[in-house]
Amino acid sequence: MIATASAAQVRADLRRAGAAAAFSFAVLVVLATLGQPQSPDLTPRLLTFLGAVVFAVSAAVAVRSTANELARVVGARASAGTSSNLRLWVTIIGYLLVGVLALTVLHVPIEKLLLSGAITGVVIGIAAQQALANLFAGLVLLTSRPFDVGSWIVLRSGALGGEYHGQVVGIGLTYTEMITEEGPFSLPNASVLAAATGGRPAAKPSTPSL
């Protein structure tokens, strides 16, 4: 019964996200072609504004449903903290995109805002290059699944300082956690993604008690 309820919830989230995204796209097309936000008459301006509100609400529902579905899929392969972080980032990025599109159809000048945001993004990207590399590598590891939580693997990488034999106990957005004979390790996802990965060693190492 629990599995059936979970599957029904997944289907509901998928249907909600798809329907809201399709409706939002239709409203956006209508606003882009027929909207008159700068008309001298009040009625066309009011209708355009109401259409932008409808688009923003329906698009927000699509973003939230999509974020929930992605978090559920990732949560089945990683920790609850990882899925929560992914839901937060997808929601933030989705809401920002919805806001930009809504302002665009209202003919609000956002070029200067986008330019300053792009410059700020470049500066932040350079400063957080390693963190972003680990973040994207974590997303690749969670989607491509070269190994799963609980797998016994061997990692060979010069960047990691040699070989690691042990069990994967967690795959986060920035670090992969392993238990080895030498104790627990938190390995950067970018280095793990670039490492050669093999199956579990012939003699499984004993797991130290934490």
Side-chain angles (χ1 to χ4, degrees), residues 26-53:
V27 174
L28 182 64
V29 171
V30 171
L31 289 175
T33 55
L34 302 178
Q36 302 179 39
Q38 297 178 346
S39 173
D41 298 330
L42 177 62
T43 300
R45 294 203 309 269
L46 182 60
L47 290 176
T48 303
F49 177 78
L50 291 177
V53 172

Short mmCIF file of all heavy atoms in Angstrom, two decimals, residues 26-53:
data_model
loop_
_atom_site.label_atom_id
_atom_site.label_comp_id
_atom_site.label_asym_id
_atom_site.label_seq_id
_atom_site.Cartn_x
_atom_site.Cartn_y
_atom_site.Cartn_z
N ALA A 26 1.64 28.40 -22.92
CA ALA A 26 0.56 28.96 -23.75
C ALA A 26 0.27 30.41 -23.36
O ALA A 26 0.11 31.29 -24.23
CB ALA A 26 -0.69 28.11 -23.62
N VAL A 27 0.20 30.68 -22.06
CA VAL A 27 -0.04 32.04 -21.59
C VAL A 27 1.10 32.96 -22.00
O VAL A 27 0.88 34.11 -22.42
CB VAL A 27 -0.24 32.06 -20.06
CG1 VAL A 27 -0.34 33.50 -19.56
CG2 VAL A 27 -1.48 31.28 -19.67
N LEU A 28 2.32 32.46 -21.92
CA LEU A 28 3.48 33.27 -22.30
C LEU A 28 3.43 33.63 -23.79
O LEU A 28 3.74 34.77 -24.17
CB LEU A 28 4.76 32.52 -21.98
CG LEU A 28 6.08 33.25 -22.27
CD1 LEU A 28 6.19 34.49 -21.40
CD2 LEU A 28 7.26 32.33 -22.03
N VAL A 29 3.06 32.67 -24.63
CA VAL A 29 2.96 32.94 -26.07
C VAL A 29 1.89 33.99 -26.35
O VAL A 29 2.09 34.92 -27.16
CB VAL A 29 2.67 31.63 -26.83
CG1 VAL A 29 2.35 31.92 -28.29
CG2 VAL A 29 3.85 30.69 -26.74
N VAL A 30 0.74 33.88 -25.69
CA VAL A 30 -0.34 34.85 -25.88
C VAL A 30 0.11 36.24 -25.44
O VAL A 30 -0.15 37.24 -26.13
CB VAL A 30 -1.60 34.40 -25.12
CG1 VAL A 30 -2.66 35.50 -25.14
CG2 VAL A 30 -2.16 33.12 -25.71
N LEU A 31 0.77 36.32 -24.30
CA LEU A 31 1.24 37.62 -23.82
C LEU A 31 2.28 38.22 -24.75
O LEU A 31 2.29 39.44 -25.00
CB LEU A 31 1.82 37.47 -22.41
CG LEU A 31 0.82 37.21 -21.28
CD1 LEU A 31 1.56 36.97 -19.98
CD2 LEU A 31 -0.13 38.38 -21.13
N ALA A 32 3.17 37.38 -25.27
CA ALA A 32 4.22 37.88 -26.16
C ALA A 32 3.66 38.40 -27.47
O ALA A 32 4.23 39.33 -28.07
CB ALA A 32 5.25 36.78 -26.41
N THR A 33 2.55 37.82 -27.94
CA THR A 33 2.00 38.22 -29.23
C THR A 33 0.89 39.27 -29.11
O THR A 33 0.77 40.14 -29.97
CB THR A 33 1.45 36.98 -29.97
OG1 THR A 33 0.50 36.31 -29.13
CG2 THR A 33 2.59 36.02 -30.30
N LEU A 34 0.08 39.18 -28.07
CA LEU A 34 -1.09 40.06 -27.96
C LEU A 34 -1.01 41.04 -26.80
O LEU A 34 -1.85 41.94 -26.72
CB LEU A 34 -2.37 39.21 -27.81
CG LEU A 34 -2.65 38.20 -28.94
CD1 LEU A 34 -3.92 37.41 -28.62
CD2 LEU A 34 -2.77 38.91 -30.28
N GLY A 35 -0.06 40.87 -25.92
CA GLY A 35 0.03 41.75 -24.76
C GLY A 35 0.36 43.19 -25.14
O GLY A 35 1.15 43.44 -26.05
N GLN A 36 -0.26 44.13 -24.43
CA GLN A 36 -0.02 45.56 -24.67
C GLN A 36 0.23 46.26 -23.34
O GLN A 36 -0.61 47.02 -22.84
CB GLN A 36 -1.21 46.20 -25.38
CG GLN A 36 -1.56 45.56 -26.72
CD GLN A 36 -2.76 46.21 -27.37
OE1 GLN A 36 -2.94 47.43 -27.32
NE2 GLN A 36 -3.60 45.40 -27.99
N PRO A 37 1.38 46.00 -22.72
CA PRO A 37 1.63 46.60 -21.39
C PRO A 37 1.84 48.11 -21.42
O PRO A 37 1.73 48.75 -20.38
CB PRO A 37 2.91 45.88 -20.95
CG PRO A 37 3.58 45.50 -22.22
CD PRO A 37 2.49 45.17 -23.18
N GLN A 38 2.12 48.66 -22.58
CA GLN A 38 2.35 50.10 -22.68
C GLN A 38 1.26 50.81 -23.47
O GLN A 38 1.45 51.90 -23.99
CB GLN A 38 3.72 50.35 -23.32
CG GLN A 38 4.88 49.81 -22.50
CD GLN A 38 6.21 50.03 -23.17
OE1 GLN A 38 6.28 50.34 -24.35
NE2 GLN A 38 7.29 49.86 -22.41
N SER A 39 0.10 50.18 -23.58
CA SER A 39 -1.01 50.78 -24.31
C SER A 39 -1.53 52.01 -23.57
O SER A 39 -1.55 52.05 -22.33
CB SER A 39 -2.13 49.75 -24.47
OG SER A 39 -3.28 50.35 -25.03
N PRO A 40 -1.98 53.05 -24.30
CA PRO A 40 -2.54 54.22 -23.62
C PRO A 40 -3.87 53.93 -22.93
O PRO A 40 -4.29 54.68 -22.05
CB PRO A 40 -2.73 55.23 -24.77
CG PRO A 40 -2.79 54.40 -26.01
CD PRO A 40 -1.92 53.21 -25.75
N ASP A 41 -4.54 52.85 -23.34
CA ASP A 41 -5.81 52.48 -22.71
C ASP A 41 -5.56 51.61 -21.48
O ASP A 41 -4.62 50.80 -21.45
CB ASP A 41 -6.70 51.73 -23.69
CG ASP A 41 -7.07 52.58 -24.90
OD1 ASP A 41 -7.15 53.82 -24.72
OD2 ASP A 41 -7.25 52.02 -25.99
N LEU A 42 -6.42 51.75 -20.50
CA LEU A 42 -6.24 51.02 -19.25
C LEU A 42 -6.54 49.53 -19.41
O LEU A 42 -5.85 48.69 -18.83
CB LEU A 42 -7.14 51.63 -18.17
CG LEU A 42 -7.14 50.92 -16.81
CD1 LEU A 42 -5.75 50.95 -16.21
CD2 LEU A 42 -8.17 51.55 -15.88
N THR A 43 -7.59 49.21 -20.19
CA THR A 43 -8.02 47.81 -20.29
C THR A 43 -6.94 46.89 -20.83
O THR A 43 -6.66 45.83 -20.23
CB THR A 43 -9.29 47.70 -21.15
OG1 THR A 43 -10.35 48.49 -20.56
CG2 THR A 43 -9.74 46.25 -21.25
N PRO A 44 -6.28 47.20 -21.97
CA PRO A 44 -5.21 46.30 -22.44
C PRO A 44 -4.07 46.17 -21.45
O PRO A 44 -3.51 45.08 -21.30
CB PRO A 44 -4.75 46.97 -23.75
CG PRO A 44 -5.90 47.81 -24.17
CD PRO A 44 -6.52 48.30 -22.90
N ARG A 45 -3.72 47.26 -20.78
CA ARG A 45 -2.64 47.18 -19.79
C ARG A 45 -3.04 46.28 -18.63
O ARG A 45 -2.24 45.47 -18.16
CB ARG A 45 -2.28 48.57 -19.27
CG ARG A 45 -1.68 49.51 -20.31
CD ARG A 45 -0.86 50.61 -19.64
NE ARG A 45 -1.60 51.28 -18.59
CZ ARG A 45 -2.35 52.36 -18.77
NH1 ARG A 45 -2.45 52.89 -20.00
NH2 ARG A 45 -2.98 52.94 -17.78
N LEU A 46 -4.28 46.41 -18.19
CA LEU A 46 -4.75 45.60 -17.06
C LEU A 46 -4.80 44.12 -17.44
O LEU A 46 -4.39 43.25 -16.65
CB LEU A 46 -6.13 46.08 -16.61
CG LEU A 46 -6.75 45.37 -15.40
CD1 LEU A 46 -5.84 45.53 -14.19
CD2 LEU A 46 -8.14 45.92 -15.12
N LEU A 47 -5.29 43.83 -18.65
CA LEU A 47 -5.35 42.44 -19.09
C LEU A 47 -3.95 41.83 -19.21
O LEU A 47 -3.73 40.67 -18.86
CB LEU A 47 -6.09 42.35 -20.43
CG LEU A 47 -7.60 42.63 -20.39
CD1 LEU A 47 -8.18 42.60 -21.80
CD2 LEU A 47 -8.31 41.62 -19.49
N THR A 48 -3.02 42.62 -19.70
CA THR A 48 -1.64 42.13 -19.82
C THR A 48 -1.05 41.86 -18.45
O THR A 48 -0.38 40.84 -18.24
CB THR A 48 -0.78 43.15 -20.57
OG1 THR A 48 -1.36 43.40 -21.86
CG2 THR A 48 0.65 42.63 -20.75
N PHE A 49 -1.30 42.75 -17.51
CA PHE A 49 -0.79 42.56 -16.15
C PHE A 49 -1.41 41.31 -15.51
O PHE A 49 -0.70 40.50 -14.88
CB PHE A 49 -1.09 43.79 -15.30
CG PHE A 49 -0.67 43.66 -13.86
CD1 PHE A 49 0.66 43.81 -13.49
CD2 PHE A 49 -1.61 43.36 -12.88
CE1 PHE A 49 1.05 43.68 -12.18
CE2 PHE A 49 -1.22 43.23 -11.56
CZ PHE A 49 0.11 43.39 -11.21
N LEU A 50 -2.72 41.13 -15.67
CA LEU A 50 -3.36 39.95 -15.11
C LEU A 50 -2.83 38.67 -15.77
O LEU A 50 -2.64 37.65 -15.10
CB LEU A 50 -4.88 40.04 -15.30
CG LEU A 50 -5.60 41.12 -14.46
CD1 LEU A 50 -7.08 41.15 -14.80
CD2 LEU A 50 -5.40 40.87 -12.98
N GLY A 51 -2.58 38.74 -17.08
CA GLY A 51 -2.00 37.59 -17.77
C GLY A 51 -0.62 37.25 -17.24
O GLY A 51 -0.26 36.07 -17.10
N ALA A 52 0.16 38.29 -16.94
CA ALA A 52 1.50 38.05 -16.38
C ALA A 52 1.41 37.41 -15.00
O ALA A 52 2.22 36.53 -14.65
CB ALA A 52 2.27 39.36 -16.31
N VAL A 53 0.41 37.81 -14.21
CA VAL A 53 0.22 37.20 -12.89
C VAL A 53 -0.18 35.74 -13.03
O VAL A 53 0.33 34.86 -12.31
CB VAL A 53 -0.84 37.99 -12.09
CG1 VAL A 53 -1.19 37.25 -10.80
CG2 VAL A 53 -0.35 39.39 -11.78
#
